[in-house]
Amino acid sequence: DADVTQTPRNRITKTGKRIMLECSQTKGHDRMYWYRQDPGLGLQLIYYSFDVKDINKGEISDGYSVSRQAQAKFSLSLESAIPNQTALYFCATSDSPGGPVDTQYFGPGTRLTVL
Amino acid sequence: ILNVEQSPQSLHVQEGDSTNFTCSFPSSNFYALHWYRWETAKSPEALFVMTLNGDEKKKGRISATLNTKEGYSYLYIKGSQPEDSATYLCAFIRSNYQLIWGAGTKLIIKP
């Protein structure tokens, strides 16, 4: 079984709809991240969490919110989806106290299309 | 440069040939550099993390070097095989722990 799972793997939705993407991990890592990937661009950090009570905005958090329900679960919500949020979304985890050099472990990605 | 740049964007290489590509990053406030390999329809996986100027890392036919003074890292693949086809991502970590990703080099190995 995969260590980091994401659901759904693919989603097509309409403008204005609320969408939740879920991430679960069995690695026992404290740190979890949400990224989006657009063609031709690097991964952009949306939100990250260093433990259940710690949530931080990344570089492109506008239009998104997150919830860290447990050490193993980190959900990303789009409150009112818009077409330019069409992208590939990755969840990742890393161990602590590895610091900034700790390796990130990625889920398989969720491809979201907003019509 | 303020961003992480990877070149080329894509690369076609004949099976058996060796190849290399570049990750350029700001030379100030360096903390670490990661290389990841991302196969289509799979998750990115870590290859190397490098922290010191002059670092060289190797894993099988793949190796990487790091020059923090001039702000670049090279990834080398010796004797390319079809299974090397993937997008190779680098991620630069600044001393304030900010992590900046490059857009990747897409490598296609032609049989």
Side-chain angles (χ1 to χ4, degrees), chain A residues 53-66:
Chain A
K53 295 180 181 178
D54 177 72
I55 303 288
N56 303 280
K57 292 183 177 180
E59 54 194 301
I60 55 160
S61 59
D62 287 349
Y64 301 95
S65 62
V66 291

Side-chain angles (χ1 to χ4, degrees), chain B residues 19 21 35-37 46-48 56-65 74-81 83-86 88 107:
Chain B
T19 188
F21 30 92
W35 280 101
Y36 286 78
R37 170 196 162 89
L47 282 173
F48 305 116
E56 293 188 26
K57 298 283 176 108
K58 186 174 182 181
K59 186 182 291 187
R61 294 179 293 98
I62 304 176
S63 60
T65 61
Y74 291 141
L75 191 80
Y76 300 89
I77 301 178
K78 185 177 179 181
S80 303
Q81 299 297 309
E83 59 265 29
D84 296 327
S85 294
Y88 292 84
L107 177 65

Side-chain angles (χ1 to χ4, degrees), chain B residues 14-85:
Chain B
Q14 196 68 42
E15 182 177 353
D17 287 352
S18 296
T19 188
N20 65 85
F21 30 92
T22 307
C23 173
S24 300
F25 52 84
S27 55
S28 60
N29 302 313
F30 176 88
Y31 197 97
L33 188 94
H34 288 255
W35 280 101
Y36 286 78
R37 170 196 162 89
W38 180 21
E39 289 184 70
T40 302
K42 294 187 178 181
S43 312
E45 292 184 342
L47 282 173
F48 305 116
V49 56
M50 294 184 286
T51 57
L52 298 176
N53 185 44
D55 256 355
E56 293 188 26
K57 298 283 176 108
K58 186 174 182 181
K59 186 182 291 187
R61 294 179 293 98
I62 304 176
S63 60
T65 61
L66 178 67
N67 184 324
T68 61
K69 295 189 187 306
E70 296 183 39
Y72 64 84
S73 175
Y74 291 141
L75 191 80
Y76 300 89
I77 301 178
K78 185 177 179 181
S80 303
Q81 299 297 309
E83 59 265 29
D84 296 327
S85 294

